[in-house]
């Protein structure tokens, strides 16, 4: 069985599972490596069986797609080599370095499909590190994987479609949703509407969540500028002080938990370590790996799919996963799959909707211009916005890696995965330069913190 | 037509220190750096400031440098996080211990105090060290600093004194001229002119030397290093081991633990280097052997940089054997950070005054050609150990 060189898929979300299925259909036996306990990725995360709930309850409108992914996966399982709860901590030409539990594992690869997904994008607000403040993604993990909620009365703050979805899910789960506070002003420009409406079912879902929340008395406010996350004498979050943009009057809302998210950012470290080219995407305001429409990178044998290439949501991720696998197969034997053309058309069509979303829920760069000096920007290193601005001013540097060298920005446990996008905006504003010139923090192994004992422990060759 | 008294190619720690010291002597100085000052090995090294265990040929520079490290704040306006944490070198067996005893005597000749510890002393005073070590020697005067800050601090201080420090300024070639040297920078037709030239181009130093017919083989190395999350104060002195291999320090103040061993991959032409996972894994094992309490600490990052390495693991420091008023200091073989400040002071003396009180015997590039070492003939080795650090 292992006579043929190994094809490895990293990530078992919609893109990874779809890629694995396509490879199996073509007669291959791919290795699928995933950090999660169960397949599904962030979007179709499943709880352990004692906490099992109905798909409808967990995934709402996406229940059918979730069920299809999970069913697909069950059918695939005998034909793939699947490794759950396995982290990729480094990658080198021909070799993946994995860690499972306290064990380090070397996995050779000949061809690689990276379906690494995305994580929450954060814009710091003064006080954002208080206990009780979590990301939208983490709020969803609590709900989907742990059948619990982050608080009894919750404020949802940020920007993007996920804000309304999670608020809806929390309200359905019995939390009191104090308010949904949107930084952007969606639907303000009528010219955006046709493009957004092109999202079809996704658009309809969003409209439904908003309508449902409104019908259930949840205040939804747009054009919000958060000023400070308040905390009680125990340090836990107790509320939020904010104002409407351009207005002087401030409002204070009380809560016992706060979920924040300003859209998603692609997880690109593996592609970076492999030497894939990157480009700056002005819409998503992020450096992204460069691929052709099929997901082929500039590095031989390396393909990318899903939100790890560009955040486009789970439906496009599944299509992109299939397309990347077809590209890989085509590069192996020169074949051209008949369905590839149709898949490419779907991806092109989805671009219009995505572009509209990115423009409606634009990254709130203004919030970083006005972020108070005392607000933390890099929580791992305890670095404030003021400290970063001072380094920029004193050194005259606007390159994020130089600012990092002088200030320790992004040198902590998260390696800039959390603070990076916001820090880049902050530096650009402080140096009065275009964010393009700020550059990007480079991926470095280990991709996530790993214990010395794991690195030092028994090393298996192949899994 | 501007003719600088001194031009420097390479803005690492040695080059930036040369610029500063030459300015302090009143010379007009231009420093040309291809990227950013301290962007290569000077900025991404381990950060050890160690005299103990050095080859005798490096000790005069090392002791002089240690003096400068101690008064960095007065010199460059920032201490670059230098702290004299001490350096503890561990012996694996009695043979290692014999070497440590022998080195103690050599170091004493240079005024460096080293204390020997037997197994019992070691366990009593440094209980966090793994129990398989035979003994150790401690140089309390050694320490550590933050490499990311050092070269830029020297560059800034030099600039404030009026040195022309040009970053993003790659030199394509340089040639001797009647006035001294003509240096051609990418994208500029007119050469930069200087009476004297210092080559502190690090891993690319031999390339620069070759422009003048000074041919020497310089290899590259990429020390593989890792850093952990910050932890409570655990490790006092920087740790090393006889025979090389693992080295560990805890960043004073910050609390992260930096360790390394072995080498990654360096591509000198592409200016790229990367650590190797297998080397990182071996280093983690050796680190736990040395300090068992590190087992459950999290590694957050690994990195490396491109460092020049000479065949005998000693740098080239001194005048060109063939061209007057040309001085080389490169190929530091992993020893350049501690030595950097003094190398700059000495190069400034050689270039501006024509002589330095610091002995460079054994470091000239002539050692590879079998021709007499020009420095050794002017300053006999007997003087070396008598050199005492003067005020800057």
């Amino acid at each position: 069985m292992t006579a043929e060189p190994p094809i490895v898929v990293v990530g078992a979300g919609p893109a990874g599972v779809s890629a694995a299925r396509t490879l199996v259909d073509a007669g291959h036996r791919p290795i699928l490596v995933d950090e999660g306990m169960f397949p599904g990725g962030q979007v179709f995360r499943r709880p352990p069986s004692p906490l099992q709930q109905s798909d409808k309850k967990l995934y709402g409108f996406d229940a059918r797609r979730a069920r299809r992914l999970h069913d697909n996966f069950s059918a695939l399982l005998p034909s793939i080599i699947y490794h759950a709860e396995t982290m990729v901590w480094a990658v080198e030409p021909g070799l993946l370095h994995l860690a499972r539990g306290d064990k380090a594992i070397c996995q050779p690869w000949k061809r690689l499909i990276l379906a690494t997904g995305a994580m929450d994008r954060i814009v710091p607000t003064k006080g954002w590190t208080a206990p009780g403040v979590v990301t939208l993604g983490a709020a969803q993990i609590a709900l989907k994987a742990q059948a619990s909620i982050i608080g009894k009365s919750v404020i949802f703050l940020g920007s993007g479609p996920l804000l309304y979805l999670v608020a809806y899910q929390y309200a359905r789960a019995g939390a009191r949703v104090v308010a949904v506070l949107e930084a952007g002003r969606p639907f303000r420009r009528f010219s955006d509407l046709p493009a957004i409406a092109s999202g079809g079912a996704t658009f309809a879902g969003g409209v439904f969540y908003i309508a449902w929340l409104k019908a259930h008395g949840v205040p939804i406010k747009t054009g919000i500028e958060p000023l400070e996350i308040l905390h009680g004498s125990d340090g836990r979050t107790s509320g939020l002080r904010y104002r409407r943009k351009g207005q002087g009057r401030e409002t204070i809302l009380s809560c016992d938990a706060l979920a924040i998210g300003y859209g998603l950012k692609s997880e690109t470290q593996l592609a970076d370590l492999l030497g894939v080219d990157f480009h700056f995407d002005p819409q998503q305001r992020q450096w992204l790996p460069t691929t052709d429409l099929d997901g082929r990178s500039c590095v031989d044998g390396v393909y990318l799919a899903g939100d790890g290439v560009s955040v486009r949501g789970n439906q496009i991720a599944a299509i992109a996963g299939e397309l990347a696998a077809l590209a890989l197969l085509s590069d192996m034997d020169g074949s051209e799959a008949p369905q590839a053309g149709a898949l490419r058309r779907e991806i092109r069509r989805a671009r219009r909707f995505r572009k509209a979303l990115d423009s409606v829920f634009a990254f709130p760069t203004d919030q970083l211009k006005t972020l108070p000096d005392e607000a933390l920007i890099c929580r791992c290193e305890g670095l404030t916005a003021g400290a970063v601005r001072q380094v920029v001013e004193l050194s005259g540097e606007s390159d994020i890696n130089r600012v990092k060298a002088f200030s320790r920005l992004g040198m902590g446990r998260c390696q800039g995965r959390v603070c990076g996008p916001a820090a880049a905006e902050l530096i650009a504003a402080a140096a009065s330069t275009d964010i393009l010139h700020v550059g990007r923090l480079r991926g470095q192994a280990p991709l996530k913190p790993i214990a010395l004992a794991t690195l030092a422990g028994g090393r298996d060759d192949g899994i | 037509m501007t003719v600088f008294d001194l031009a420097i190619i390479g803005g690492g720690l040695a080059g930036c220190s040369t610029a500063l010291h030459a300015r302090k002597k009143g010379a007009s100085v231009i420093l040309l750096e291809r990227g950013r000052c301290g962007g290569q090995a000077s900025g991404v090294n381990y950060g050890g400031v160690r005299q103990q265990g050095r080859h005798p040929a490096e000790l005069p520079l090392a002791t002089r440098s240690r003096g400068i490290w101690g008064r960095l704040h007065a010199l460059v306006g920032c201490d670059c996080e230098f702290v004299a944490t001490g350096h503890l070198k561990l012996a694996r067996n009695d043979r290692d211990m014999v070497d440590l005893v022998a080195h103690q005597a050599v170091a004493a000749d240079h005024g460096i105090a080293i204390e020997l510890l037997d197994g019992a002393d070691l366990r009593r005073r440094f209980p966090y060290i793994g129990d398989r070590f035979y003994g150790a020697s401690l140089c309390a005067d050694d320490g550590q600093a933050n490499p990311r800050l050092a070269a830029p601090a020297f560059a800034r201080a030099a600039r404030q004194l009026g040195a022309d420090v040009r970053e993003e300024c790659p030199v394509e070639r340089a040639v001797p001229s009647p006035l001294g040297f003509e240096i051609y920078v990418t994208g500029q037709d007119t050469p930069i002119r200087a009476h004297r030239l210092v080559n502190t181009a690090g891993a690319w130093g031999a390339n620069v030397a070759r422009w003048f017919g000074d041919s020497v083989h310089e290899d590259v190395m990429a020390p593989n290093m890792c850093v952990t999350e910050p932890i409570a104060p655990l490790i006092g002195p920087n740790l090393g081991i006889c025979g090389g291999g693992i080295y560990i320090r805890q960043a004073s103040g910050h609390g992260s633990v930096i360790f390394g061993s072995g080498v990654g991959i360096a591509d000198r032409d592409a200016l790229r280097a990367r650590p190797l996972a297998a080397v990182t894994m071996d280093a983690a094992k050796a680190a736990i052997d040395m300090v068992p309490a590190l087992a459950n600490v999290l590694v957050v990052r690994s990195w490396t940089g491109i460092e020049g390495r000479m065949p005998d693991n000693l740098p080239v420091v001194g005048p060109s054997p063939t061209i007057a008023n040309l001085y080389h200091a490169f190929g530091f073989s992993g020893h350049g950070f501690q030595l950097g400040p003094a190398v700059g002071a000495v190069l400034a003396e050689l270039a501006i005054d024509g002589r330095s009180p610091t002995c460079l015997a054994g470091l000239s590039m002539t050692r590879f050609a079998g021709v007499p070492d020009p420095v050794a003939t002017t300053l006999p080795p007997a003087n070396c150990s008598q050199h005492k650090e003067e005020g800057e």
Side-chain angles (χ1 to χ4, degrees):
Chain A
M1 141 219 131
T2 49
E4 46 186 314
I7 303 174
V8 184
V9 179
V10 179
V17 170
S18 162
R21 196 202 58 224
T22 310
L23 295 169
V24 168
D25 288 348
H28 294 275
R29 189 178 166 84
I31 295 162
L32 180 57
V33 179
D34 188 52
E35 276 186 17
M37 206 184 293
F38 305 105
Q42 301 292 350
V43 60
F44 299 137
R45 185 183 290 277
R46 268 201 294 203
S49 48
L51 302 175
Q52 198 61 53
Q53 303 174 61
S54 77
D55 286 350
K56 186 75 202 158
K57 194 156 182 221
L58 280 172
Y59 312 115
F61 289 123
D62 279 335
R64 222 157 37 121
R65 264 194 302 279
R67 199 170 316 122
R68 200 186 312 147
L69 180 138
H70 292 137
D71 290 349
N72 260 338
F73 189 82
S74 305
L76 268 184
L77 200 49
S79 317
I80 63 172
I81 302 167
Y82 170 55
H83 295 282
E85 297 186 278
T86 303
M87 170 176 100
V88 181
W89 70 268
V91 65
E92 289 164 358
L95 204 56
L96 274 168
H97 294 276
L98 313 176
R100 184 165 60 227
D102 56 2
K103 221 167 179 185
I105 303 159
C106 299
Q107 171 59 53
W109 61 272
K110 171 83 177 168
R111 292 181 169 81
L112 202 52
I113 296 180
L114 303 177
T116 45
M119 63 178 281
D120 291 283
R121 191 163 61 170
I122 292 302
V123 175
T125 296
K126 188 180 170 190
W128 68 291
T129 53
V133 182
V134 304
T135 64
L136 287 175
Q140 277 200 313
I141 292 173
L143 207 57
K144 290 181 193 168
Q146 293 149 3
S148 60
I149 52 178
I150 60 167
K152 290 198 186 83
S153 52
V154 186
I155 294 174
F156 289 84
L157 167 68
S159 187
L162 198 57
L163 199 58
Y164 307 95
L165 168 64
V166 185
Y168 164 76
Q169 289 170 328
Y170 263 68
R172 293 292 302 259
R176 187 171 79 86
V177 177
V178 177
V180 178
L181 304 176
E182 161 72 59
R185 286 199 166 112
F187 319 120
R188 202 181 187 207
R189 278 173 28 207
F190 289 106
S191 57
D192 289 326
L193 283 175
I196 290 189
S198 76
T202 309
F203 170 69
V207 171
F208 171 81
Y209 300 134
I210 292 170
W212 189 96
L213 288 164
K214 282 189 166 159
H216 288 76
V218 174
I220 297 179
K221 297 191 193 311
T222 62
I224 289 305
E225 184 186 358
L227 297 171
E228 184 179 5
I229 292 169
L230 307 168
H231 58 82
S233 54
D234 59 355
R236 281 192 58 87
T237 179
S238 62
L240 175 76
R241 186 164 62 83
Y242 72 93
R243 68 176 166 220
R244 300 293 279 272
K245 266 175 210 157
Q247 289 179 16
R249 197 168 56 86
E250 296 180 2
T251 307
I252 290 179
L253 285 179
S254 297
C255 66
D256 63 5
L258 208 141
I260 308 184
Y262 293 80
L264 300 175
K265 71 178 272 277
S266 302
E267 287 275 65
T268 59
Q269 293 84 0
L270 271 178
D272 198 4
L273 285 186
L274 282 161
V276 171
D277 284 342
F278 276 63
H279 64 278
F280 187 74
D281 182 316
Q283 287 276 332
Q284 303 200 358
R285 289 190 83 78
Q286 195 201 337
W287 290 87
L288 294 172
T290 304
T291 65
D292 66 8
L293 194 61
D294 293 1
R296 231 179 241 101
S297 79
C298 66
V299 179
D300 221 21
V302 176
Y303 306 80
L304 287 91
D307 282 357
V309 192
S310 173
V311 173
R312 294 175 297 197
N314 72 75
Q315 296 178 54
I316 294 302
I319 296 167
E322 183 174 356
L323 207 44
L326 291 175
L328 181 154
L329 293 166
S330 155
D331 293 346
M332 278 175 84
D333 58 18
S335 65
E336 168 73 16
Q339 70 269 44
L343 296 172
R344 286 184 199 120
R345 274 194 298 282
E346 283 196 63
I347 288 198
R348 279 205 195 92
R349 192 163 47 223
R351 277 183 177 168
R352 186 167 170 233
F353 175 53
R354 198 62 234 182
K355 253 194 174 147
L357 277 186
D358 287 336
S359 108
V360 163
F361 299 109
F363 194 74
T365 51
D366 287 352
Q367 238 167 273
L368 287 151
K369 287 183 191 141
T370 56
L371 186 67
D373 274 345
E374 65 272 24
L376 277 184
I377 182 114
C378 166
R379 62 179 176 175
C380 299
E381 295 293 339
L383 205 63
T384 62
V388 173
R389 288 180 180 129
Q390 200 180 4
V391 164
V392 171
E393 192 191 333
L394 291 180
S395 69
E397 296 282 358
S398 57
D399 177 317
I400 194 165
N401 288 294
R402 286 295 271 187
V403 175
K404 170 184 173 177
F406 295 150
S407 68
R408 293 189 193 277
L409 171 78
M411 292 186 98
R413 291 178 183 89
C414 92
Q415 288 292 292
R417 288 164 64 239
V418 174
C419 61
E425 302 281 359
L426 185 80
I427 293 168
S432 306
T433 186
D434 191 289
I435 191 161
L436 260 177
H437 302 135
V438 174
R440 64 193 178 95
L441 293 169
R442 289 309 184 81
Q444 284 171 290
L447 297 187
K448 289 178 184 170
I450 184 168
L452 269 85
T454 306
L455 293 173
R459 201 188 317 159
D460 288 359
D461 290 328
I463 43 181
Chain B
M1 184 177 73
T2 309
V3 182
F4 290 91
D5 291 328
L6 178 65
I8 302 160
I9 300 177
L13 185 50
C16 294
S17 174
T18 307
L20 175 64
H21 284 95
R23 262 317 290 153
K24 283 170 77 88
K25 288 178 178 295
S28 61
V29 175
I30 184 166
L31 184 151
L32 304 165
E33 161 56 40
R34 170 175 47 200
R36 296 294 174 88
C37 288
Q40 296 288 343
S42 291
V44 296
N45 65 76
Y46 165 68
V49 178
R50 169 182 64 86
Q51 305 162 89
Q52 170 166 238
R54 285 188 184 276
H55 188 282
E58 288 183 348
L59 284 174
L61 274 173
T63 52
R64 183 159 182 199
S65 228
R66 173 60 185 85
I68 302 176
W69 279 107
R71 30 173 213 282
L72 222 46
H73 201 284
L75 187 65
V76 299
C78 141
D79 66 5
C80 302
E81 298 175 19
F82 171 75
V83 182
T85 49
H87 178 265
L88 187 69
K89 189 165 189 178
L90 298 168
R92 297 160 296 182
N93 48 44
D94 54 351
R95 278 197 316 278
D96 283 352
M97 210 59 209
V98 170
D99 289 346
L100 292 180
V101 171
H103 182 70
Q104 184 194 36
V106 174
D109 284 347
H110 291 267
I112 302 165
I114 289 178
E115 181 188 359
L116 293 166
L117 284 75
D118 65 18
D121 286 343
L122 181 63
R123 270 171 275 288
R124 185 174 49 79
R125 288 177 57 185
F126 304 100
Y128 52 84
I129 301 279
D131 55 14
R132 70 182 181 89
F133 296 98
Y134 185 89
S137 67
L138 176 69
C139 179
D141 206 27
D142 285 346
Q144 53 172 271
N146 183 341
R148 297 186 303 276
L149 305 181
F154 274 85
R156 199 164 44 239
R159 215 174 240 154
Q160 276 163 5
L161 284 184
D164 188 349
V165 177
R166 297 194 192 169
E167 298 181 289
E168 309 292 340
C169 194
V171 174
E172 271 175 5
R173 66 194 170 94
V175 292
S177 75
L179 279 171
F181 299 90
E182 290 185 345
I183 303 155
Y184 292 85
V185 169
T186 305
Q188 290 177 24
D189 296 334
T190 321
I192 289 162
R193 296 184 173 86
H195 295 300
R196 305 169 188 85
L197 180 63
V198 161
N199 165 20
T200 45
W204 300 267
N207 290 353
V208 172
R210 217 163 287 129
W211 295 339
F212 303 98
D214 286 345
S215 183
V216 65
H217 177 75
E218 182 184 24
D219 211 339
V220 282
M221 60 193 272
N224 201 101
M225 288 166 285
C226 307
V227 60
T228 71
E229 60 186 332
I231 59 171
L234 170 71
I235 302 166
N238 305 352
L239 306 175
I241 187 168
C242 289
I246 186 77
Y247 44 91
I248 305 178
R249 73 176 173 97
Q250 183 168 21
S252 182
H254 184 258
S256 52
V257 176
I258 296 157
F259 65 96
S261 143
V263 291
I265 289 177
D267 183 337
R268 178 159 37 186
D269 297 331
L271 305 186
R272 287 182 79 155
R274 64 180 170 86
L276 284 170
V279 177
T280 296
M281 288 189 275
D282 288 345
K285 193 170 185 328
I288 295 171
D289 273 354
M290 193 177 265
V291 181
L294 291 178
N296 293 318
V297 176
L298 298 175
V299 175
V300 297
R301 182 171 63 253
S302 63
W303 79 97
T304 184
I306 303 172
E307 165 74 336
R309 176 189 231 163
M310 302 311 293
D312 56 2
N313 285 315
L314 288 174
V316 166
V317 184
S320 157
T322 49
I323 305 271
N325 297 318
L326 171 64
Y327 303 88
H328 299 298
F330 61 83
F332 278 88
S333 312
H335 309 161
F337 186 58
Q338 195 274 352
L339 297 178
V343 168
V346 170
L347 289 173
E349 288 161 354
L350 290 176
I352 309 303
D353 309 336
R355 63 187 306 279
S356 167
T358 300
C359 173
L360 297 174
L363 301 179
S364 165
M365 67 163 56
T366 54
R367 70 185 189 269
F368 299 112
V371 284
D373 182 335
V375 175
T377 52
T378 52
L379 273 174
N383 286 350
C384 294
S385 58
Q386 291 160 16
H387 167 69
K388 290 284 177 285
E389 176 64 26
E390 309 288 332
E392 291 302 315

